[in-house]
mmCIF file of all heavy atoms in Angstrom:
data_model
loop_
_atom_site.group_PDB
_atom_site.id
_atom_site.type_symbol
_atom_site.label_atom_id
_atom_site.label_comp_id
_atom_site.label_asym_id
_atom_site.label_seq_id
_atom_site.Cartn_x
_atom_site.Cartn_y
_atom_site.Cartn_z
ATOM 1 N N PRO A 161 -12.327 -34.768 28.130
ATOM 2 C CA PRO A 161 -10.860 -34.955 28.083
ATOM 3 C C PRO A 161 -10.399 -36.374 28.346
ATOM 4 O O PRO A 161 -9.540 -36.892 27.620
ATOM 5 C CB PRO A 161 -10.355 -33.930 29.106
ATOM 6 C CG PRO A 161 -11.375 -32.872 29.252
ATOM 7 C CD PRO A 161 -12.670 -33.588 28.970
ATOM 8 N N PHE A 162 -11.033 -36.965 29.318
ATOM 9 C CA PHE A 162 -10.691 -38.340 29.738
ATOM 10 C C PHE A 162 -10.996 -39.290 28.618
ATOM 11 O O PHE A 162 -10.165 -40.114 28.143
ATOM 12 C CB PHE A 162 -11.399 -38.756 31.039
ATOM 13 C CG PHE A 162 -11.243 -40.194 31.324
ATOM 14 C CD1 PHE A 162 -9.943 -40.657 31.752
ATOM 15 C CD2 PHE A 162 -12.307 -41.012 31.346
ATOM 16 C CE1 PHE A 162 -9.851 -42.032 32.073
ATOM 17 C CE2 PHE A 162 -12.159 -42.354 31.730
ATOM 18 C CZ PHE A 162 -10.927 -42.881 32.057
ATOM 19 N N LEU A 163 -12.282 -39.364 28.169
ATOM 20 C CA LEU A 163 -12.643 -40.243 27.082
ATOM 21 C C LEU A 163 -11.919 -40.000 25.766
ATOM 22 O O LEU A 163 -11.505 -40.991 25.002
ATOM 23 C CB LEU A 163 -14.155 -40.271 26.904
ATOM 24 C CG LEU A 163 -15.018 -40.817 28.089
ATOM 25 C CD1 LEU A 163 -16.487 -40.647 27.778
ATOM 26 C CD2 LEU A 163 -14.710 -42.285 28.284
ATOM 27 N N PHE A 164 -11.846 -38.687 25.414
ATOM 28 C CA PHE A 164 -11.180 -38.346 24.166
ATOM 29 C C PHE A 164 -9.714 -38.732 24.070
ATOM 30 O O PHE A 164 -9.167 -39.087 23.046
ATOM 31 C CB PHE A 164 -11.371 -36.857 23.811
ATOM 32 C CG PHE A 164 -12.740 -36.439 23.323
ATOM 33 C CD1 PHE A 164 -13.740 -37.302 23.146
ATOM 34 C CD2 PHE A 164 -12.950 -35.114 23.107
ATOM 35 C CE1 PHE A 164 -14.978 -36.940 22.587
ATOM 36 C CE2 PHE A 164 -14.248 -34.651 22.645
ATOM 37 C CZ PHE A 164 -15.165 -35.671 22.384
ATOM 38 N N SER A 165 -9.042 -38.573 25.257
ATOM 39 C CA SER A 165 -7.605 -38.862 25.268
ATOM 40 C C SER A 165 -7.342 -40.350 24.901
ATOM 41 O O SER A 165 -6.507 -40.614 24.117
ATOM 42 C CB SER A 165 -7.020 -38.583 26.652
ATOM 43 O OG SER A 165 -7.583 -39.408 27.618
ATOM 44 N N ILE A 166 -8.085 -41.253 25.510
ATOM 45 C CA ILE A 166 -7.880 -42.689 25.279
ATOM 46 C C ILE A 166 -8.303 -43.057 23.854
ATOM 47 O O ILE A 166 -7.560 -43.706 23.172
ATOM 48 C CB ILE A 166 -8.668 -43.552 26.247
ATOM 49 C CG1 ILE A 166 -8.294 -43.167 27.722
ATOM 50 C CG2 ILE A 166 -8.448 -45.064 25.968
ATOM 51 C CD1 ILE A 166 -9.179 -43.810 28.703
ATOM 52 N N ALA A 167 -9.397 -42.470 23.360
ATOM 53 C CA ALA A 167 -9.879 -42.613 21.996
ATOM 54 C C ALA A 167 -8.865 -42.192 21.018
ATOM 55 O O ALA A 167 -8.647 -42.848 19.939
ATOM 56 C CB ALA A 167 -11.248 -42.007 21.824
ATOM 57 N N THR A 168 -8.240 -41.054 21.288
ATOM 58 C CA THR A 168 -7.340 -40.403 20.293
ATOM 59 C C THR A 168 -6.085 -41.280 20.124
ATOM 60 O O THR A 168 -5.548 -41.517 19.054
ATOM 61 C CB THR A 168 -6.953 -39.015 20.754
ATOM 62 O OG1 THR A 168 -8.071 -38.219 20.783
ATOM 63 C CG2 THR A 168 -5.891 -38.437 19.889
ATOM 64 N N ILE A 169 -5.619 -41.863 21.261
ATOM 65 C CA ILE A 169 -4.391 -42.814 21.107
ATOM 66 C C ILE A 169 -4.705 -43.944 20.373
ATOM 67 O O ILE A 169 -3.977 -44.413 19.595
ATOM 68 C CB ILE A 169 -3.903 -43.136 22.572
ATOM 69 C CG1 ILE A 169 -3.591 -41.875 23.408
ATOM 70 C CG2 ILE A 169 -2.642 -44.052 22.476
ATOM 71 C CD1 ILE A 169 -3.504 -42.149 24.890
ATOM 72 N N MET A 170 -5.942 -44.593 20.713
ATOM 73 C CA MET A 170 -6.320 -45.780 19.910
ATOM 74 C C MET A 170 -6.494 -45.507 18.397
ATOM 75 O O MET A 170 -6.059 -46.312 17.557
ATOM 76 C CB MET A 170 -7.621 -46.291 20.464
ATOM 77 C CG MET A 170 -7.435 -46.908 21.963
ATOM 78 S SD MET A 170 -8.862 -47.849 22.552
ATOM 79 C CE MET A 170 -10.001 -46.529 22.770
ATOM 80 N N THR A 171 -7.060 -44.398 18.037
ATOM 81 C CA THR A 171 -7.220 -44.089 16.602
ATOM 82 C C THR A 171 -5.957 -43.696 15.970
ATOM 83 O O THR A 171 -5.669 -43.927 14.835
ATOM 84 C CB THR A 171 -8.235 -42.930 16.424
ATOM 85 O OG1 THR A 171 -7.856 -41.875 17.209
ATOM 86 C CG2 THR A 171 -9.633 -43.466 16.760
ATOM 87 N N SER A 172 -4.969 -43.090 16.789
ATOM 88 C CA SER A 172 -3.633 -42.784 16.322
ATOM 89 C C SER A 172 -2.886 -44.101 15.891
ATOM 90 O O SER A 172 -2.174 -44.214 14.913
ATOM 91 C CB SER A 172 -2.841 -41.953 17.317
ATOM 92 O OG SER A 172 -3.444 -40.716 17.540
ATOM 93 N N MET A 173 -3.063 -45.092 16.708
ATOM 94 C CA MET A 173 -2.467 -46.390 16.446
ATOM 95 C C MET A 173 -2.980 -46.998 15.105
ATOM 96 O O MET A 173 -2.267 -47.446 14.296
ATOM 97 C CB MET A 173 -2.766 -47.369 17.607
ATOM 98 C CG MET A 173 -2.151 -47.057 18.894
ATOM 99 S SD MET A 173 -2.884 -47.861 20.324
ATOM 100 C CE MET A 173 -2.662 -49.596 19.844
ATOM 101 N N GLN A 174 -4.317 -46.845 14.887
ATOM 102 C CA GLN A 174 -4.914 -47.311 13.765
ATOM 103 C C GLN A 174 -4.389 -46.528 12.529
ATOM 104 O O GLN A 174 -4.053 -46.981 11.489
ATOM 105 C CB GLN A 174 -6.427 -47.213 13.820
ATOM 106 C CG GLN A 174 -6.993 -48.090 14.875
ATOM 107 C CD GLN A 174 -8.372 -47.706 15.288
ATOM 108 O OE1 GLN A 174 -9.238 -47.410 14.386
ATOM 109 N NE2 GLN A 174 -8.772 -47.780 16.564
ATOM 110 N N GLN A 175 -4.231 -45.201 12.654
ATOM 111 C CA GLN A 175 -3.764 -44.310 11.637
ATOM 112 C C GLN A 175 -2.390 -44.642 11.259
ATOM 113 O O GLN A 175 -2.001 -44.661 10.037
ATOM 114 C CB GLN A 175 -3.904 -42.869 12.186
ATOM 115 C CG GLN A 175 -3.531 -41.768 11.145
ATOM 116 C CD GLN A 175 -3.583 -40.413 11.762
ATOM 117 O OE1 GLN A 175 -4.179 -40.154 12.814
ATOM 118 N NE2 GLN A 175 -2.783 -39.486 11.205
ATOM 119 N N ALA A 176 -1.525 -44.946 12.201
ATOM 120 C CA ALA A 176 -0.138 -45.213 11.987
ATOM 121 C C ALA A 176 0.061 -46.533 11.144
ATOM 122 O O ALA A 176 1.006 -46.673 10.391
ATOM 123 C CB ALA A 176 0.604 -45.460 13.260
ATOM 124 N N THR A 177 -0.991 -47.522 11.288
ATOM 125 C CA THR A 177 -0.858 -48.698 10.505
ATOM 126 C C THR A 177 -1.780 -48.637 9.248
ATOM 127 O O THR A 177 -2.008 -49.649 8.585
ATOM 128 C CB THR A 177 -1.432 -49.819 11.418
ATOM 129 O OG1 THR A 177 -2.710 -49.596 11.929
ATOM 130 C CG2 THR A 177 -0.458 -50.117 12.478
ATOM 131 N N GLY A 178 -2.134 -47.406 8.858
ATOM 132 C CA GLY A 178 -2.878 -47.252 7.595
ATOM 133 C C GLY A 178 -4.348 -47.712 7.697
ATOM 134 O O GLY A 178 -4.999 -47.937 6.650
ATOM 135 N N ARG A 179 -4.874 -47.774 8.857
ATOM 136 C CA ARG A 179 -6.279 -48.179 9.087
ATOM 137 C C ARG A 179 -7.116 -46.940 9.444
ATOM 138 O O ARG A 179 -7.017 -46.507 10.574
ATOM 139 C CB ARG A 179 -6.354 -49.206 10.186
ATOM 140 C CG ARG A 179 -5.630 -50.577 9.838
ATOM 141 C CD ARG A 179 -4.999 -51.171 11.100
ATOM 142 N NE ARG A 179 -6.090 -51.422 12.148
ATOM 143 C CZ ARG A 179 -6.655 -52.597 12.399
ATOM 144 N NH1 ARG A 179 -6.315 -53.677 11.636
ATOM 145 N NH2 ARG A 179 -7.464 -52.767 13.281
ATOM 146 N N PHE A 180 -7.897 -46.533 8.533
ATOM 147 C CA PHE A 180 -8.579 -45.185 8.707
ATOM 148 C C PHE A 180 -10.032 -45.253 8.904
ATOM 149 O O PHE A 180 -10.737 -44.236 9.115
ATOM 150 C CB PHE A 180 -8.261 -44.262 7.469
ATOM 151 C CG PHE A 180 -6.893 -43.814 7.374
ATOM 152 C CD1 PHE A 180 -5.906 -44.526 6.688
ATOM 153 C CD2 PHE A 180 -6.456 -42.683 8.117
ATOM 154 C CE1 PHE A 180 -4.567 -44.166 6.596
ATOM 155 C CE2 PHE A 180 -5.047 -42.279 7.971
ATOM 156 C CZ PHE A 180 -4.226 -42.947 7.307
ATOM 157 N N ILE A 181 -10.681 -46.474 8.751
ATOM 158 C CA ILE A 181 -12.202 -46.570 8.699
ATOM 159 C C ILE A 181 -12.768 -46.108 10.027
ATOM 160 O O ILE A 181 -13.694 -45.221 10.050
ATOM 161 C CB ILE A 181 -12.525 -48.061 8.279
ATOM 162 C CG1 ILE A 181 -12.091 -48.326 6.905
ATOM 163 C CG2 ILE A 181 -14.065 -48.210 8.377
ATOM 164 C CD1 ILE A 181 -12.346 -49.801 6.380
ATOM 165 N N PHE A 182 -12.363 -46.767 11.124
ATOM 166 C CA PHE A 182 -13.044 -46.444 12.325
ATOM 167 C C PHE A 182 -12.586 -45.090 12.953
ATOM 168 O O PHE A 182 -13.241 -44.414 13.631
ATOM 169 C CB PHE A 182 -12.834 -47.538 13.398
ATOM 170 C CG PHE A 182 -13.763 -48.652 13.094
ATOM 171 C CD1 PHE A 182 -13.325 -49.710 12.252
ATOM 172 C CD2 PHE A 182 -15.101 -48.730 13.619
ATOM 173 C CE1 PHE A 182 -14.212 -50.789 11.993
ATOM 174 C CE2 PHE A 182 -15.925 -49.895 13.256
ATOM 175 C CZ PHE A 182 -15.417 -50.840 12.493
ATOM 176 N N TYR A 183 -11.243 -44.760 12.606
ATOM 177 C CA TYR A 183 -10.755 -43.419 12.916
ATOM 178 C C TYR A 183 -11.552 -42.299 12.261
ATOM 179 O O TYR A 183 -11.900 -41.315 12.885
ATOM 180 C CB TYR A 183 -9.285 -43.346 12.420
ATOM 181 C CG TYR A 183 -8.750 -41.914 12.364
ATOM 182 C CD1 TYR A 183 -8.301 -41.269 13.540
ATOM 183 C CD2 TYR A 183 -8.642 -41.223 11.119
ATOM 184 C CE1 TYR A 183 -7.786 -39.975 13.431
ATOM 185 C CE2 TYR A 183 -8.119 -40.010 11.077
ATOM 186 C CZ TYR A 183 -7.800 -39.332 12.201
ATOM 187 O OH TYR A 183 -7.213 -38.064 12.135
ATOM 188 N N ALA A 184 -12.007 -42.601 11.047
ATOM 189 C CA ALA A 184 -12.818 -41.656 10.233
ATOM 190 C C ALA A 184 -14.203 -41.496 10.805
ATOM 191 O O ALA A 184 -14.857 -40.446 10.719
ATOM 192 C CB ALA A 184 -12.764 -42.039 8.800
ATOM 193 N N LEU A 185 -14.767 -42.596 11.291
ATOM 194 C CA LEU A 185 -16.162 -42.684 11.757
ATOM 195 C C LEU A 185 -16.404 -41.891 13.073
ATOM 196 O O LEU A 185 -17.481 -41.374 13.376
ATOM 197 C CB LEU A 185 -16.604 -44.153 11.914
ATOM 198 C CG LEU A 185 -17.109 -44.857 10.751
ATOM 199 C CD1 LEU A 185 -17.354 -46.251 11.106
ATOM 200 C CD2 LEU A 185 -18.301 -44.192 10.065
ATOM 201 N N ALA A 186 -15.307 -41.832 13.973
ATOM 202 C CA ALA A 186 -15.504 -41.328 15.293
ATOM 203 C C ALA A 186 -16.227 -39.909 15.412
ATOM 204 O O ALA A 186 -17.106 -39.728 16.177
ATOM 205 C CB ALA A 186 -14.193 -41.369 16.044
ATOM 206 N N PRO A 187 -15.753 -38.962 14.597
ATOM 207 C CA PRO A 187 -16.354 -37.590 14.719
ATOM 208 C C PRO A 187 -17.807 -37.590 14.430
ATOM 209 O O PRO A 187 -18.699 -36.909 15.036
ATOM 210 C CB PRO A 187 -15.524 -36.731 13.786
ATOM 211 C CG PRO A 187 -14.262 -37.437 13.596
ATOM 212 C CD PRO A 187 -14.617 -38.874 13.626
ATOM 213 N N ALA A 188 -18.203 -38.373 13.366
ATOM 214 C CA ALA A 188 -19.658 -38.414 13.023
ATOM 215 C C ALA A 188 -20.481 -39.072 14.144
ATOM 216 O O ALA A 188 -21.535 -38.601 14.461
ATOM 217 C CB ALA A 188 -19.843 -39.256 11.704
ATOM 218 N N ILE A 189 -19.903 -40.117 14.761
ATOM 219 C CA ILE A 189 -20.651 -40.675 15.882
ATOM 220 C C ILE A 189 -20.891 -39.724 17.063
ATOM 221 O O ILE A 189 -21.923 -39.736 17.726
ATOM 222 C CB ILE A 189 -19.896 -41.934 16.362
ATOM 223 C CG1 ILE A 189 -19.748 -43.018 15.273
ATOM 224 C CG2 ILE A 189 -20.439 -42.578 17.618
ATOM 225 C CD1 ILE A 189 -21.048 -43.642 14.898
ATOM 226 N N TYR A 190 -19.841 -38.955 17.275
ATOM 227 C CA TYR A 190 -19.853 -37.921 18.404
ATOM 228 C C TYR A 190 -21.079 -36.974 18.153
ATOM 229 O O TYR A 190 -21.921 -36.618 19.051
ATOM 230 C CB TYR A 190 -18.652 -37.098 18.403
ATOM 231 C CG TYR A 190 -18.582 -36.029 19.405
ATOM 232 C CD1 TYR A 190 -18.781 -36.270 20.773
ATOM 233 C CD2 TYR A 190 -18.304 -34.690 19.008
ATOM 234 C CE1 TYR A 190 -18.729 -35.181 21.715
ATOM 235 C CE2 TYR A 190 -18.249 -33.638 19.947
ATOM 236 C CZ TYR A 190 -18.429 -33.893 21.238
ATOM 237 O OH TYR A 190 -18.425 -32.884 22.176
ATOM 238 N N ASN A 191 -21.259 -36.539 16.844
ATOM 239 C CA ASN A 191 -22.362 -35.597 16.538
ATOM 240 C C ASN A 191 -23.723 -36.332 16.642
ATOM 241 O O ASN A 191 -24.686 -35.745 17.015
ATOM 242 C CB ASN A 191 -22.172 -35.043 15.052
ATOM 243 C CG ASN A 191 -21.252 -33.900 14.993
ATOM 244 O OD1 ASN A 191 -21.103 -33.200 15.924
ATOM 245 N ND2 ASN A 191 -20.526 -33.770 13.807
ATOM 246 N N VAL A 192 -23.772 -37.659 16.353
ATOM 247 C CA VAL A 192 -25.036 -38.340 16.502
ATOM 248 C C VAL A 192 -25.514 -38.289 17.978
ATOM 249 O O VAL A 192 -26.708 -38.136 18.264
ATOM 250 C CB VAL A 192 -24.885 -39.825 16.061
ATOM 251 C CG1 VAL A 192 -26.025 -40.702 16.483
ATOM 252 C CG2 VAL A 192 -24.661 -39.901 14.573
ATOM 253 N N GLY A 193 -24.497 -38.494 18.922
ATOM 254 C CA GLY A 193 -24.821 -38.416 20.294
ATOM 255 C C GLY A 193 -25.444 -37.119 20.746
ATOM 256 O O GLY A 193 -26.409 -37.017 21.492
ATOM 257 N N ILE A 194 -24.790 -35.987 20.208
ATOM 258 C CA ILE A 194 -25.424 -34.702 20.547
ATOM 259 C C ILE A 194 -26.753 -34.507 19.955
ATOM 260 O O ILE A 194 -27.601 -33.921 20.649
ATOM 261 C CB ILE A 194 -24.465 -33.530 20.037
ATOM 262 C CG1 ILE A 194 -23.060 -33.719 20.572
ATOM 263 C CG2 ILE A 194 -24.997 -32.189 20.346
ATOM 264 C CD1 ILE A 194 -21.987 -32.772 20.168
ATOM 265 N N ILE A 195 -27.021 -34.971 18.800
ATOM 266 C CA ILE A 195 -28.311 -34.858 18.131
ATOM 267 C C ILE A 195 -29.391 -35.609 18.948
ATOM 268 O O ILE A 195 -30.477 -35.110 19.194
ATOM 269 C CB ILE A 195 -28.291 -35.333 16.685
ATOM 270 C CG1 ILE A 195 -27.515 -34.358 15.820
ATOM 271 C CG2 ILE A 195 -29.730 -35.520 16.154
ATOM 272 C CD1 ILE A 195 -27.150 -34.891 14.405
ATOM 273 N N ILE A 196 -29.018 -36.857 19.471
ATOM 274 C CA ILE A 196 -29.909 -37.612 20.344
ATOM 275 C C ILE A 196 -30.238 -36.775 21.578
ATOM 276 O O ILE A 196 -31.439 -36.745 21.934
ATOM 277 C CB ILE A 196 -29.240 -38.967 20.663
ATOM 278 C CG1 ILE A 196 -29.156 -39.903 19.344
ATOM 279 C CG2 ILE A 196 -30.022 -39.684 21.745
ATOM 280 C CD1 ILE A 196 -28.365 -41.129 19.677
ATOM 281 N N GLY A 197 -29.260 -36.231 22.171
ATOM 282 C CA GLY A 197 -29.438 -35.393 23.340
ATOM 283 C C GLY A 197 -30.372 -34.237 23.199
ATOM 284 O O GLY A 197 -31.265 -33.957 23.893
ATOM 285 N N THR A 198 -30.282 -33.568 21.997
ATOM 286 C CA THR A 198 -31.011 -32.383 21.593
ATOM 287 C C THR A 198 -32.452 -32.781 21.374
ATOM 288 O O THR A 198 -33.338 -32.064 21.774
ATOM 289 C CB THR A 198 -30.407 -31.725 20.420
ATOM 290 O OG1 THR A 198 -29.042 -31.387 20.621
ATOM 291 C CG2 THR A 198 -31.138 -30.388 20.115
ATOM 292 N N LEU A 199 -32.669 -33.864 20.669
ATOM 293 C CA LEU A 199 -34.017 -34.284 20.311
ATOM 294 C C LEU A 199 -34.730 -34.959 21.408
ATOM 295 O O LEU A 199 -36.040 -34.799 21.547
ATOM 296 C CB LEU A 199 -33.983 -35.263 19.047
ATOM 297 C CG LEU A 199 -33.513 -34.636 17.786
ATOM 298 C CD1 LEU A 199 -33.430 -35.704 16.625
ATOM 299 C CD2 LEU A 199 -34.443 -33.512 17.318
ATOM 300 N N PHE A 200 -34.116 -35.703 22.292
ATOM 301 C CA PHE A 200 -34.769 -36.556 23.268
ATOM 302 C C PHE A 200 -34.542 -36.058 24.729
ATOM 303 O O PHE A 200 -35.458 -36.092 25.573
ATOM 304 C CB PHE A 200 -34.421 -37.999 23.028
ATOM 305 C CG PHE A 200 -34.732 -38.557 21.773
ATOM 306 C CD1 PHE A 200 -33.780 -38.706 20.776
ATOM 307 C CD2 PHE A 200 -36.060 -38.831 21.366
ATOM 308 C CE1 PHE A 200 -34.088 -39.173 19.481
ATOM 309 C CE2 PHE A 200 -36.435 -39.254 20.107
ATOM 310 C CZ PHE A 200 -35.426 -39.468 19.224
ATOM 311 N N PHE A 201 -33.271 -35.807 25.137
ATOM 312 C CA PHE A 201 -32.945 -35.514 26.460
ATOM 313 C C PHE A 201 -33.494 -34.208 26.938
ATOM 314 O O PHE A 201 -33.656 -33.938 28.095
ATOM 315 C CB PHE A 201 -31.490 -35.543 26.796
ATOM 316 C CG PHE A 201 -30.838 -36.934 26.535
ATOM 317 C CD1 PHE A 201 -29.535 -37.095 26.529
ATOM 318 C CD2 PHE A 201 -31.736 -37.984 26.319
ATOM 319 C CE1 PHE A 201 -28.956 -38.356 26.275
ATOM 320 C CE2 PHE A 201 -31.120 -39.351 26.147
ATOM 321 C CZ PHE A 201 -29.745 -39.485 26.131
ATOM 322 N N THR A 202 -33.751 -33.258 26.009
ATOM 323 C CA THR A 202 -34.243 -31.903 26.354
ATOM 324 C C THR A 202 -35.735 -31.894 26.812
ATOM 325 O O THR A 202 -36.187 -31.079 27.502
ATOM 326 C CB THR A 202 -34.194 -30.912 25.162
ATOM 327 O OG1 THR A 202 -34.742 -31.564 23.997
ATOM 328 C CG2 THR A 202 -32.708 -30.603 24.888
ATOM 329 N N ASN A 203 -36.329 -33.098 26.563
ATOM 330 C CA ASN A 203 -37.756 -33.281 27.010
ATOM 331 C C ASN A 203 -37.826 -33.988 28.378
ATOM 332 O O ASN A 203 -38.872 -34.250 28.907
ATOM 333 C CB ASN A 203 -38.535 -34.060 25.981
ATOM 334 C CG ASN A 203 -38.670 -33.472 24.639
ATOM 335 O OD1 ASN A 203 -38.819 -32.231 24.584
ATOM 336 N ND2 ASN A 203 -38.445 -34.193 23.560
ATOM 337 N N GLY A 204 -36.620 -34.215 28.942
ATOM 338 C CA GLY A 204 -36.585 -34.955 30.244
ATOM 339 C C GLY A 204 -36.275 -36.449 30.057
ATOM 340 O O GLY A 204 -36.484 -36.910 28.892
ATOM 341 N N ILE A 205 -35.835 -37.110 31.096
ATOM 342 C CA ILE A 205 -35.564 -38.494 30.947
ATOM 343 C C ILE A 205 -36.367 -39.240 32.075
ATOM 344 O O ILE A 205 -36.304 -38.876 33.266
ATOM 345 C CB ILE A 205 -34.009 -38.794 31.164
ATOM 346 C CG1 ILE A 205 -33.259 -38.092 30.054
ATOM 347 C CG2 ILE A 205 -33.748 -40.286 31.137
ATOM 348 C CD1 ILE A 205 -31.763 -38.209 30.205
ATOM 349 N N THR A 206 -37.122 -40.143 31.661
ATOM 350 C CA THR A 206 -37.906 -40.926 32.573
ATOM 351 C C THR A 206 -37.632 -42.434 32.402
ATOM 352 O O THR A 206 -37.650 -42.993 31.283
ATOM 353 C CB THR A 206 -39.393 -40.736 32.346
ATOM 354 O OG1 THR A 206 -39.739 -39.291 32.483
ATOM 355 C CG2 THR A 206 -40.245 -41.581 33.297
ATOM 356 N N ILE A 207 -37.238 -43.128 33.520
ATOM 357 C CA ILE A 207 -36.934 -44.566 33.470
ATOM 358 C C ILE A 207 -37.898 -45.302 34.562
ATOM 359 O O ILE A 207 -37.832 -44.991 35.696
ATOM 360 C CB ILE A 207 -35.470 -44.857 33.826
ATOM 361 C CG1 ILE A 207 -34.517 -44.155 32.810
ATOM 362 C CG2 ILE A 207 -35.249 -46.344 33.910
ATOM 363 C CD1 ILE A 207 -33.072 -44.330 33.053
ATOM 364 N N PHE A 208 -38.631 -46.235 33.978
ATOM 365 C CA PHE A 208 -39.598 -47.037 34.769
ATOM 366 C C PHE A 208 -40.472 -46.184 35.574
ATOM 367 O O PHE A 208 -40.777 -46.359 36.817
ATOM 368 C CB PHE A 208 -38.846 -48.000 35.700
ATOM 369 C CG PHE A 208 -37.989 -49.019 34.979
ATOM 370 C CD1 PHE A 208 -36.576 -49.053 35.145
ATOM 371 C CD2 PHE A 208 -38.552 -49.868 34.023
ATOM 372 C CE1 PHE A 208 -35.768 -49.908 34.435
ATOM 373 C CE2 PHE A 208 -37.775 -50.795 33.330
ATOM 374 C CZ PHE A 208 -36.402 -50.838 33.547
#
Side-chain angles (χ1 to χ4, degrees):
F162 172 67
L163 292 178
F164 280 0
S165 66
I166 303 172
T168 299
I169 301 162
M170 292 189 293
T171 53
S172 294
M173 292 162 59
Q174 296 163 42
Q175 185 184 336
T177 54
R179 297 149 53 101
F180 290 92
I181 294 174
F182 286 89
Y183 164 80
L185 280 174
I189 296 296
Y190 177 60
N191 279 332
V192 169
I194 300 175
I195 291 171
I196 291 171
T198 306
L199 291 177
F200 300 105
F201 296 169
T202 51
N203 297 321
I205 300 176
T206 302
I207 299 179
F208 300 119

